[in-house]
Amino acid sequence: YQNYLNNLSSDLNISTRVHFLGNIQNIPEFLAELDIFILPTMEKGEGMGVALLEASACGKACIGTNVTGIRDIIINGETGILVPPSDSQALADSISALVASPEERKRLGTNARKRVEQNFSIEREVKAHEALYEELMGR
């Protein structure tokens, strides 16, 4: 996809404003520099959107597609924004709204971080797995 995307951005005359960074090594430092994290999955589902959890844990305002996995993480309007899959206008409108409102970005990011801490922490996941194993072993 890299060549296709580079060619497309050139054809659209946006190559000076769009950068395809490839493999990012230091995720926390990278996420710290973002104002908005966007995960526009076009498929029916994302599985567990680990990148979305990481961005949310860093307190970033997130926009994602309303598909399985992503909607398990984002509560629309509370911890981020959900847009319909393949709806480029809804995605653009959501991006524009967040770019124009630092207060809303902060509110969504703060709520997203709290949600990750409460519902997706490693400690919580370990306890849930332990409870499941105990139940399966009949204890």
Side-chain angles (χ1 to χ4, degrees), residues 13-137:
N13 293 319
I14 60 171
S15 60
T16 59
R17 296 180 295 163
V18 175
H19 304 281
F20 301 102
L21 303 178
N23 188 16
I24 305 297
Q25 296 299 316
N26 194 331
I27 300 300
E29 284 182 16
F30 174 75
L31 289 173
E33 297 298 319
L34 299 180
D35 291 320
I36 304 167
F37 182 86
I38 305 161
L39 188 59
T41 300
M42 294 173 53
E43 301 296 322
K44 292 184 179 186
E46 178 68 28
M48 179 52 73
V50 175
L52 184 58
L53 286 172
E54 291 172 334
S56 296
C58 289
K60 298 301 168 180
C62 296
I63 301 172
T65 331
N66 192 1
V67 297
T68 304
I70 294 177
R71 69 173 161 250
D72 297 327
I73 299 169
I74 292 178
I75 299 171
N76 191 39
E78 184 179 327
T79 65
I81 298 174
L82 291 172
V83 297
S86 301
D87 188 338
S88 58
Q89 188 61 56
L91 180 62
D93 291 346
S94 296
I95 293 168
S96 294
L98 288 184
V99 166
S101 180
E103 298 84 15
E104 182 66 357
R105 289 195 311 265
K106 182 173 178 153
R107 184 185 74 80
L108 293 174
T110 298
N111 290 344
R113 183 179 177 111
K114 287 177 187 174
R115 177 161 168 73
V116 168
E117 290 171 350
Q118 292 171 354
N119 297 289
F120 301 101
S121 70
I122 291 191
E123 293 82 10
R124 185 178 186 282
E125 293 298 316
V126 168
K127 287 179 183 177
H129 279 85
E130 286 175 346
L132 174 63
Y133 292 146
E134 292 289 330
E135 179 183 329
L136 292 173
M137 293 184 334

